[in-house]
Amino acid sequence: MRIATWNVNSVRTRAERIVAFLDRQQVDVLAMQETKAADAKFPYDVFHDAGYEVAHVGYNQWNGVAIASRVGLSDVRDHFERQPSFAKKGEPVREARAVGANCGGVEVWSLYVPNGREIGDPHYDYKLQFLYSLQDTVRPGELQVLTGDFNIAPRDENVWDIDWFDGKTHVTEPERAAFQMLCETGLRQLEHEELYSFWDYKSARFQRNEGMLIDFQLATAPLAALATRVWVDVDERRGTGASDHAPVIAEYDTRGLDYDQVR
């Protein structure tokens, strides 16, 4: 089973490109983030025509997460337990940042962790609360993967120049500690040779290879043991109309798995 995670940065803008990627890489399950679409405006037909069922959570033109699967889609959840809400002003609301489903016997979560914006900003605290609350979702003994854009570079080598990030988010100790605590609940970060998964549109970052590794597949030990290959499809960051993120793909040897068992 091939599972991919990709911050697509607008699913309506890139729907045909996404489906072409699914075919080219023979992806069974795709977790998408930053779809930037309300549920009613998601391009379901494009995915259905390609043989994929879709679970999408989107309330407006911001955020948005989805799972597209051709190996089954059941037990869909539009948030995780104790998922925090946010509002800089007014009544806090739960944003479209998490969707989970059983896909062919594997519990898959597509997650768009808050950016944090700036140290000291209310969004920074919201980011930490999101990660702390997410720990309760982990089921260490089951086949489960938490995928998505975590907006954290866990190690110095996950950014092109750590000095450039001095005083900025994504690399602070509280963020890294929250990411590490999440992993310590029973998740393994699947490693790959490629250095980065994100290159900003600004300042020709991609052309200079000034990137960041902030997109991950965090698998429980039983699922991580089935991983045979993990890579970043850097080619999907090339060309006109590309997202600023590249997909992270993992291949799991699930032959013999009882697909009738959700957990």
Side-chain angles (χ1 to χ4, degrees):
M1 182 188 297
R2 284 190 178 181
I3 299 176
T5 181
W6 191 6
N7 180 319
V8 297
N9 194 5
S10 180
V11 68
R12 288 182 293 170
T13 300
R14 299 184 172 84
E16 297 293 343
R17 181 172 183 146
I18 296 167
V19 169
F21 156 77
L22 292 174
D23 180 65
R24 180 169 62 84
Q25 291 286 11
Q26 287 298 293
V27 172
D28 296 303
V29 182
L30 174 63
M32 289 174 274
Q33 303 85 43
E34 212 170 354
T35 58
K36 295 184 176 179
D39 286 341
K41 294 185 177 181
F42 188 92
Y44 294 99
D45 288 348
V46 176
F47 290 88
H48 292 165
D49 290 347
Y52 290 82
E53 299 177 82
V54 177
H56 178 256
V57 179
Y59 306 129
N60 47 45
Q61 74 273 31
W62 308 113
N63 307 315
V65 286
I67 297 173
S69 172
R70 65 178 184 181
V71 292
L73 189 72
S74 62
D75 192 20
V76 175
R77 283 143 288 172
D78 63 3
H79 66 284
F80 58 84
E81 188 176 353
R82 296 199 306 115
Q83 181 175 328
S85 299
F86 179 78
K88 203 159 190 175
K89 295 180 181 179
E91 188 69 22
V93 296
R94 189 176 67 219
E95 297 182 317
R97 292 186 176 275
V99 60
N102 178 63
C103 303
V106 177
E107 183 180 303
V108 179
W109 281 91
S110 178
L111 303 162
Y112 183 36
V113 176
N115 177 281
R117 298 175 185 169
E118 295 179 358
I119 300 169
D121 189 285
H123 212 256
Y124 182 83
D125 291 335
Y126 171 44
K127 179 179 191 174
L128 297 178
Q129 292 170 8
F130 189 97
L131 289 162
Y132 293 147
S133 298
L134 188 57
Q135 296 178 35
D136 293 340
T137 304
V138 180
R139 303 289 180 262
E142 300 168 6
L143 297 175
Q144 182 190 54
V145 60
L146 275 59
T147 73
D149 178 357
F150 285 81
N151 271 312
I152 293 173
R155 299 189 289 267
D156 288 356
E157 57 266 31
N158 296 148
V159 298
W160 82 89
D161 182 359
I162 192 61
D163 292 334
W164 189 90
F165 284 87
D166 186 37
K168 298 179 176 66
T169 61
H170 291 59
V171 300
T172 66
E173 285 306 314
E175 291 169 292
R176 288 178 167 181
F179 184 88
Q180 181 61 29
M181 288 175 65
L182 177 62
C183 291
E184 289 176 355
T185 60
L187 299 172
R188 297 182 183 178
Q189 178 185 328
L190 300 187
E191 304 285 353
H192 44 74
E193 293 182 358
E194 293 80 9
L195 293 177
Y196 310 127
S197 63
F198 167 82
W199 300 259
D200 202 317
Y201 291 129
K202 300 175 184 177
S203 305
R205 295 289 186 211
F206 183 67
Q207 291 75 8
R208 298 169 183 265
N209 198 29
E210 295 177 348
M212 305 170 64
L213 180 60
I214 56 176
D215 303 273
F216 301 101
Q217 295 207 29
L218 306 180
T220 55
L223 184 61
L226 302 179
T228 58
R229 182 186 175 202
V230 186
W231 71 102
V232 179
D233 187 354
V234 178
D235 284 341
E236 278 298 338
R237 180 59 179 84
R238 306 181 195 279
T240 304
S243 170
D244 45 4
H245 293 251
V248 179
I249 309 168
E251 189 166 78
Y252 301 93
D253 186 357
T254 56
R255 290 173 295 181
L257 187 67
D258 184 356
Y259 292 124
D260 292 329
Q261 292 183 349
V262 175
R263 294 182 176 87

